Amino acid sequence: MRDVDLRSLPLHVAGEISMAVRIHGMSERLERDTSWAAHAHPTHELLWNERGASTATIESRVWTITPMMGLWIPAGVVQQGRAGAATWYRTAHFSAGGDTAVPTIAAEPVAVDMSPLLRLLLDRLANDPLPEQLRLLTEQMVLDVIEPSESPLSVAAPTGDLLRPIAAAVLADPSDRRTLGDWSQAVGASPRTITRAFMAETGTGFSRWQGAVRAHRAVILLSEGTDLESGAESVGYGSVSAFGAAFRRATGRTPSDFR
């Protein structure tokens, strides 16, 4: 059993604490697997990684965070997180109260493409002792270039009684190859009923939902250095080509992008 660093943080209300600047960053290189219990920040938060992949759970949706894909979390939103040992995570907090408050880029959590320009600007704020006017200009440039991604790495976990056992099994073992027909017999409901329930709770059918779960687990494995063949097998695909095609459908990227 892997040693896990369990961390607790407060549940803050949006804008509860004022910041002296509009954007403040921090980073940490984790030596152990780390889990953050439910918490909420008084600031808007942008999460991304310099190395490795991590996850954030908000309500019933799980978001995958990588060096290429960040996550914007509005102030006051309750979240939980997990990251593996050797992950190097970064976070930028955006003021949500007082004279330095900035507008949120979205009312709900959204994925953010971590473009080279955005990363450069955030690095500048984190590393350089900037004069006030230059800092204000850099902060404004960050707000100008940050925007939601068109290819978010997230998956909704169904919570209804019918789908709960299906979701639990697939999330626990994405290589589970049971089909919609198999699950129909297991839970005593028709494939059509299961499909309708998936559409209602996740916005997609079972096969696409299963493909998204597999892709998200694969991102974690690939970021840890798992080779493509082992990664494909670990998430239930018999060949690298089938894995690659399904991965691109789910993420809009190739598996190699995350290695």
Side-chain angles (χ1 to χ4, degrees):
M1 184 175 179
R2 297 175 69 166
D3 182 32
V4 178
D5 180 7
L6 301 176
R7 300 187 182 182
S8 297
L9 294 171
L11 286 165
H12 285 292
V13 175
E16 179 181 347
I17 299 175
S18 297
M19 290 173 53
V21 295
R22 291 194 292 176
I23 304 173
H24 175 73
M26 63 159 287
S27 69
E28 182 181 6
R29 305 185 194 205
L30 299 174
E31 297 182 357
R32 301 161 57 193
D33 290 355
T34 303
S35 176
W36 289 265
H39 63 281
H41 295 291
T43 54
H44 308 306
E45 182 181 26
L46 176 63
L47 288 167
W48 77 102
N49 297 331
E50 287 292 338
R51 182 175 61 242
S54 54
T55 62
T57 300
I58 301 172
E59 294 183 342
S60 62
R61 183 168 291 274
V62 180
W63 302 80
T64 300
I65 301 159
T66 74
M68 294 181 295
M69 185 67 66
L71 176 63
W72 174 272
I73 306 174
V77 171
V78 178
Q79 58 178 293
Q80 300 176 68
R82 291 189 66 86
T87 298
W88 178 4
Y89 76 85
R90 298 276 303 275
T91 179
H93 289 271
F94 295 69
S95 177
D99 296 336
T100 59
V102 302
T104 181
I105 67 166
E108 302 291 335
V110 293
V112 171
D113 287 318
M114 299 304 299
S115 67
L117 176 57
L118 178 57
R119 293 167 66 102
L120 179 64
L121 293 169
L122 291 168
D123 284 344
R124 190 180 196 188
L125 289 174
N127 299 323
D128 295 342
L130 300 176
E132 182 179 0
Q133 287 302 116
L134 188 53
R135 180 178 184 88
L136 289 173
L137 176 61
T138 305
E139 289 175 333
Q140 186 57 52
M141 291 177 67
V142 169
L143 297 173
D144 288 341
V145 301
I146 190 172
E147 59 183 17
S149 171
E150 296 181 357
S151 302
L153 289 172
S154 69
V155 61
T159 57
D161 291 341
L162 176 62
L163 301 185
R164 191 179 296 116
I166 303 175
V170 176
L171 289 168
D173 180 14
S175 66
D176 191 321
R177 299 193 183 189
R178 278 177 283 187
T179 65
L180 184 58
D182 295 329
W183 282 114
S184 174
Q185 295 182 10
V187 301
S190 70
R192 190 171 185 178
T193 297
I194 295 175
T195 297
R196 286 177 173 171
F198 264 102
M199 291 298 298
E201 294 193 39
T202 70
T204 189
F206 169 73
S207 294
R208 283 192 174 274
W209 179 83
Q210 182 185 50
V213 172
R214 289 175 168 180
H216 284 254
R217 181 63 61 84
V219 167
I220 301 293
L221 294 172
L222 294 171
S223 73
E224 293 175 346
T226 302
D227 62 80
L228 293 181
E229 289 188 1
S230 299
E233 183 179 356
S234 295
V235 294
Y237 293 100
S239 69
V240 171
S241 59
F243 167 55
F247 191 92
R248 284 192 295 273
R249 283 195 299 271
T251 68
R253 294 176 170 83
T254 68
S256 297
D257 290 339
F258 293 92
R259 297 195 70 225

